[in-house]
Amino acid sequence: MSKRLDLIKSLIIPSRVIADVGCDHGLIAEYCTAKAERVIASDISEKCLDKARLRLAGATNVTFVCCDGLGYECDEAIISGMGGILIAQILRAAERLPKTLILSPHRDGALVRSTLIELGYGIDRDIPIYDRNKFYYVIRADKAAGVRELSHLQTVFGVDCATSNADLRRRLAQQYSVLMRAPQANKQQLSDVTAVMRLQSMQP
């Protein structure tokens, strides 16, 4: 199991109905069977659902749904393994949004955060993590958490970008190195990265 999936699992709150959106092999759905009265394993691909059905063959509280996005009601939804643009589209298209969301976009985290705020969610966890040499954020948002406006840096680098984090520092160092190849062309991005580096007690 990857570090990212372990982190996602650690943030799941026991709920009546939990959905694993874009479930693929059903790894998260399998974990949720002990956390919910009912689990929805959904995917746009019937082939992926077949993989999940094999993994969850012994589970009695799982419903398999082939659909695009959140075409059903649930109390908590986990959406990972896709880009932030697609996650934002799924959230905006949902007829009834769940109370709790756990999201892990591959990219475009800023769009995910701004979309959550617009839709009335408060972000209570926003954790940067490296897994298998790739960088991710794992975000938990809740309708009951209370919406708070985010600064520009929080929107781009995470709600907790001022909290010391080794994985975030590693990411900032990589970004700084790339941006410094053309500092004038990357002036604004470089300014943002160096600002967060200072928050992380790093020397540019």
Side-chain angles (χ1 to χ4, degrees), residues 73-187:
E73 292 187 6
C74 61
D75 303 302
E76 182 175 2
I78 299 99
I79 311 177
S80 64
M82 60 189 78
I85 292 174
L86 181 54
I87 290 175
Q89 290 172 344
I90 288 171
L91 297 180
R92 291 184 182 281
E95 292 184 13
R96 182 182 179 276
L97 286 165
K99 175 181 175 292
T100 305
L101 289 165
I102 299 172
L103 312 172
S104 183
H106 283 176
R107 55 192 173 276
D108 298 308
L111 175 61
V112 172
R113 293 184 188 94
S114 60
T115 300
L116 287 169
I117 299 303
E118 289 172 19
L119 294 175
Y121 285 92
I123 298 173
D124 63 6
R125 299 297 300 274
D126 195 347
I127 305 169
I129 185 171
Y130 266 95
D131 182 27
R132 299 173 185 175
N133 235 20
K134 293 183 179 179
F135 182 77
Y136 304 90
Y137 284 96
V138 178
I139 300 167
R140 185 173 69 195
D142 198 290
K143 287 263 186 188
V147 178
R148 56 170 169 156
E149 293 299 318
L150 304 182
S151 69
H152 170 69
L153 293 181
Q154 285 178 313
T155 301
V156 176
F157 297 94
V159 169
D160 300 318
C161 63
T163 301
S164 179
N165 183 283
D167 283 356
L168 178 56
R169 290 194 295 274
R170 177 181 171 187
R171 176 63 168 173
L172 291 168
Q174 289 176 340
Q175 289 181 310
Y176 182 79
S177 178
V178 171
L179 293 171
M180 282 300 290
R181 295 172 187 169
Q184 285 303 118
N186 299 314
K187 189 174 181 179

Side-chain angles (χ1 to χ4, degrees), residues 30-46:
E30 182 179 41
Y31 176 79
C32 290
T33 57
K35 297 288 183 179
E37 294 177 21
R38 178 171 169 247
V39 176
I40 300 173
S42 70
D43 203 287
I44 194 171
S45 165
E46 194 68 55

